[in-house]
Every structure is written in C-alpha cells, then in structure tokens.
Amino acid sequence: EPEVTQTPSHQVTQMGQEVILRCVPISNHLYFYWYRQILGQKVEFLVSFYNNEISEKSEIFDDQFSVERPDGSNFTLKIRSTKLEDSAMYFCASSDMVGEQYFGPGTRLTVT
Amino acid sequence: DQQVKQNSPSLSVQEGRISILNCDYTNSMFDYFLWYKKYPAEGPTFLISISSIKDKNEDGRFTVFLNKSAKHLSLHIVPSQPGDSAVYFCAASALMTGGFKTIFGAGTRLFVKA
C-alpha cells in the first residue's frame, strides 16, 4: 500500500539554525500539506501546496517557513532560523481530489 | 479561534460497549468531515469521512453521524475493542482553490478497557 514517508524521524538543532524536513508524498497525489503538533497539543495546519505553489497557509506559517517541491517527488519544509517554540512533531500529508489526507509518520524536531 | 471542537479530552469505555466521540464545528463552509486515529509516535491515520450531503456513513464497526443544523458530528465505535485505544481527531475540510483546507480538533483520547 502506498504511504507517505518522512525523513529524518528525529532532528535536533540549535536555536537559530536552519532545518529542512523532507517528505515523499504518495506518487499520484496532487495536494501536499504540512502540519505540526506541539507536545500535548492539537494537530495544527501549517500550509497546503498545489500546482507548485502555496494555496493556503495559517498564521503560524510566517516568513521563517518555506516549502518546496524541488524534484517532483520530494516535498520539503524549511525553517530558516529555528526558535525553541518550533519544537514539535511535523507531519507531512498528501491527498488526491477526494480529500482524505494520508499522513507520514512525522519528524520530531527538537530545538535546543 | 477554535473552529473545530472536541470537548472531551478523554473517554473510557468497557470492551464490547459503544464508544461515542463528539465533535462540533463553527464554520458552515466546511463540507467534508473526517475522523483520524492516532497512536503515539505515529502520524494520524484516516478512519472514516462524511460529506455534508449525507447524515450517516458506516464502515464496519465505525459510523459517523452528521447533524448539519447543529454543526455537530459524532463517531460511534461498536463494539469497542482494546486495540481502538488511541487519540481520535475530528477534522473539518473546506475545498479551496488549491485543495482542501483541513482544521483539526484537539483530539479525544479513547481508553477501551478489557
């Protein structure tokens, strides 16, 4: 069964450093998403991406964040200068037109 | 701005009984509703969905009910099994130009006791 994969599973970084979280969505999906879940809190929408551009983003997704689909298979989330409060699980998801989003296993980002 | 609310942070049910998980939403633009199940250290897994044109959708032990006038949906699991113990997220989607924008509730942790 096709699945969304994410790498790395755990990333530790120092405050102020740049991180890139990687995702490989399901191959025939056209819509891609990033979510985050701070420990003990709800899953929060960050951004959706379609046709090589951002289609929706939340207020969390500020100028420190960017997304890219560099090569037609990977979908990346970059945080330019990490803050302590960026520590969270980051989930990538993809969907076709139906709407059911398939989630990856997540990347745990720890900012020290 | 809590557009999707799950007011019960946890629910405990005996094995074999019915589990009822509730969810309320505020935005009438939402037209597609989903339930996801999440185990620790894993991503959310899609469970069942319902379109706003229906009031019930059933898949095995799982049934989702939608009451549009009350902006309320619920997930029924019957009979509940210990393996159902997980966090259940309600999600509401609206189809935007670039795909679905999905807002998640805070989740309800279900404990099914053997």
Side-chain angles (χ1 to χ4, degrees), chain A residues 58-105:
Chain A
S58 70
E59 58 271 13
I60 302 168
F61 194 87
D62 61 22
D63 292 344
Q64 294 299 314
F65 292 87
S66 62
V67 289
E68 200 177 32
R69 189 157 159 79
D71 56 14
S73 63
N74 289 285
F75 179 52
T76 62
L77 174 70
K78 183 193 291 187
I79 308 175
R80 188 152 24 113
S81 176
T82 50
K83 303 188 282 280
L84 293 175
E85 53 265 38
D86 293 327
S87 295
M89 284 289 288
Y90 287 81
F91 294 104
C92 170
S94 68
S95 72
D96 58 14
M97 272 301 294
V98 174
E100 299 155 16
Q101 294 177 24
Y102 291 81
F103 284 77

Side-chain angles (χ1 to χ4, degrees), chain B residues 21-42:
Chain B
L21 300 151
N22 292 303
C23 178
D24 298 289
Y25 62 97
T26 57
N27 193 334
S28 54
M29 279 189 61
F30 292 130
D31 53 13
Y32 194 70
F33 304 91
L34 311 97
W35 284 94
Y36 286 85
K37 179 178 177 180
K38 186 180 181 303
Y39 293 114
E42 294 183 13

Side-chain angles (χ1 to χ4, degrees), chain A:
Chain A
E1 185 176 321
E3 58 182 17
V4 177
T5 59
Q6 289 185 244
T7 54
S9 57
H10 191 187
Q11 174 87 50
V12 182
T13 189
Q14 287 194 325
M15 194 167 54
Q17 296 295 304
E18 173 184 287
V19 293
I20 297 176
L21 310 181
R22 291 184 165 79
C23 169
V24 179
I26 292 172
S27 61
N28 62 340
H29 284 181
L30 300 176
Y31 303 94
F32 314 109
Y33 311 84
W34 282 100
Y35 293 82
R36 78 173 185 191
Q37 185 180 28
I38 295 171
L39 186 64
Q41 298 186 25
K42 62 192 287 186
V43 176
E44 298 174 293
F45 169 79
L46 293 178
V47 66
S48 61
F49 191 85
Y50 169 72
N51 200 25
N52 285 319
E53 61 184 25
I54 291 173
S55 46
E56 293 288 332
K57 61 182 180 179
S58 70
E59 58 271 13
I60 302 168
F61 194 87
D62 61 22
D63 292 344
Q64 294 299 314
F65 292 87
S66 62
V67 289
E68 200 177 32
R69 189 157 159 79
D71 56 14
S73 63
N74 289 285
F75 179 52
T76 62
L77 174 70
K78 183 193 291 187
I79 308 175
R80 188 152 24 113
S81 176
T82 50
K83 303 188 282 280
L84 293 175
E85 53 265 38
D86 293 327
S87 295
M89 284 289 288
Y90 287 81
F91 294 104
C92 170
S94 68
S95 72
D96 58 14
M97 272 301 294
V98 174
E100 299 155 16
Q101 294 177 24
Y102 291 81
F103 284 77
T107 293
R108 180 174 297 284
L109 176 65
T110 302
V111 182
T112 61

Side-chain angles (χ1 to χ4, degrees), chain B residues 18 23 36 59 68 77 104:
Chain B
I18 185 171
C23 178
Y36 286 85
D59 183 3
K68 276 187 69 177
I77 306 172
F104 282 76

